[in-house]
Amino acid sequence: ERELPDDAIDANDTADALLCRLELERLLRDTPVAQRHALVLHHGLGWSLDEVAHATGTVANTVKSRMRLALAELRARPE
């Protein structure tokens, strides 16, 4: 049996990550674009509110509002 190097990618981890990404894409598909951008940039990529605001041409409070609305809508959806 071949041994994998310590830094080899675990196929199960890769498959799980892909499934999570597909599920996230499915959930966000019907979310308005501006709300989706705010969520992905802030929560997905770890950008600060100011960075998201600058990238989207808004202010931090608008970014927060968009994320709040998106999360409220996602929480209200049936499973």
Side-chain angles (χ1 to χ4, degrees):
E1 181 175 317
R2 254 177 69 179
E3 285 192 36
L4 294 174
D6 290 337
D7 61 348
I9 296 173
D10 183 341
N12 289 329
D13 289 344
T14 303
D16 288 344
L18 177 59
L19 290 173
C20 286
R21 179 178 173 173
L22 292 172
E23 178 67 9
L24 183 59
E25 286 177 6
R26 185 189 67 77
L27 288 170
L28 294 177
R29 184 179 309 130
D30 296 327
T31 304
V33 173
Q35 293 176 11
R36 184 169 58 241
H37 287 170
L39 282 175
V40 171
L41 293 174
H42 183 66
H43 291 290
L45 298 179
W47 290 19
S48 71
L49 293 174
D50 289 331
E51 290 171 323
V52 176
H54 180 74
T56 58
T58 62
V59 296
N61 281 337
T62 300
V63 173
K64 287 194 279 188
S65 292
R66 289 175 176 173
M67 289 192 301
R68 180 183 51 79
L69 291 169
L71 291 171
E73 193 269 328
L74 288 170
R75 287 182 183 120
R77 288 184 190 173
E79 293 289 320

